[in-house]
């Protein structure tokens, strides 16, 4: 009986996923037209956390600075700083492939410049993610955008 349990433990650890720490920083300045948009930092932070989780990240620590000043005064560009871990040992043979779609949650103002900028900077940090399709040209913040990704989990 002990050999059977040991065998299960050894075979399970042979397929354990390895994770590596990553750092991510992004500051959103202006769109292609030179216009500056400002966003609520807590909303930006929640969106980044949601995106990181959808891409398979763990051990999340995400901060946002700047954005809309709710007390009046000056607005500043949104800056995101994140630390997280990504799976690096996944292969098509040892993981399941899922499709993840990213698209605007706000139909009135999709914040193309912000969301596409963050995703374009973030995606190279994930070896487990493949871009299937990307409609990612942002004329300004109101441009519709979407991504379809394959994520190994």
């Amino acid at each position: 009986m002990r050999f059977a349990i040991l065998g299960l433990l050894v075979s399970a650890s042979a397929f354990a996923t390895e994770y590596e720490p990553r750092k991510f920083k992004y500051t959103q300045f202006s769109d292609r037209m030179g216009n500056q948009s400002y966003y609520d930092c807590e909303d930006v932070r929640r969106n980044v956390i949601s995106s990181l989780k959808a891409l398979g990240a763990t051990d999340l620590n995400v901060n946002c600075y700047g954005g809309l000043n709710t007390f009046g005064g000056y607005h500043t560009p949104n800056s995101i700083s994140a630390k997280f871990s990504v799976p690096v040992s996944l292969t098509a043979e040892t993981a399941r492939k899922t499709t993840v779609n990213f698209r605007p949650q706000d139909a009135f103002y999709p914040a193309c410049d912000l969301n596409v900028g963050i995703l374009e900077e973030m995606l190279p940090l994930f070896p487990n993610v493949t871009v299937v399709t990307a409609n990612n040209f942002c004329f300004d913040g109101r441009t519709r955008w979407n991504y379809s990704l394959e994520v190994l989990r």
Side-chain angles (χ1 to χ4, degrees):
M1 185 66 167
R2 289 184 186 185
F3 295 113
I5 293 172
L6 179 62
L8 287 173
L9 291 174
V10 169
S11 66
S13 65
F15 296 108
T17 303
E18 293 179 35
Y19 287 82
E20 287 184 1
R22 297 283 197 264
K23 291 182 181 179
F24 172 74
K25 290 186 178 191
Y26 179 78
T27 299
Q28 191 268 333
F29 288 104
S30 63
D31 63 22
R32 294 181 186 276
M33 299 300 295
N35 300 315
Q36 178 65 52
S37 299
Y38 302 98
Y39 304 94
D40 177 68
C41 240
E42 189 53 34
D43 287 344
V44 173
R45 183 178 168 279
R46 277 193 300 267
N47 287 342
V48 168
I49 289 171
S50 175
S51 298
L52 288 169
K53 287 180 180 179
L55 297 174
T58 61
D59 305 323
L60 306 176
N61 182 2
V62 179
N63 296 298
C64 182
Y65 308 96
L68 294 174
N69 185 339
T70 56
F71 302 107
Y74 296 102
H75 304 306
T76 57
N78 292 92
S79 292
I80 291 288
S81 173
K83 292 181 182 178
F84 52 92
S85 297
V86 299
V88 293
S89 61
L90 297 175
T91 65
E93 294 79 29
T94 62
R96 70 182 161 88
K97 190 185 304 185
T98 59
T99 300
V100 176
N101 294 305
F102 285 97
R103 59 182 153 277
Q105 295 176 357
D106 184 344
F108 178 71
Y109 195 83
C112 185
D113 49 346
L114 176 71
N115 290 304
V116 167
I118 289 172
L119 282 171
E120 287 294 315
E121 293 289 323
M122 190 184 297
L123 287 173
L125 300 175
F126 288 85
N128 62 313
V129 176
T130 303
V131 177
V132 178
T133 60
N135 178 11
N136 58 0
F137 178 81
C138 298
F139 184 71
D140 62 17
R142 293 179 299 269
T143 306
R144 295 271 179 231
W145 61 274
N146 63 60
Y147 283 80
S148 180
L149 309 170
E150 285 185 351
V151 179
L152 295 178
R153 298 188 188 277

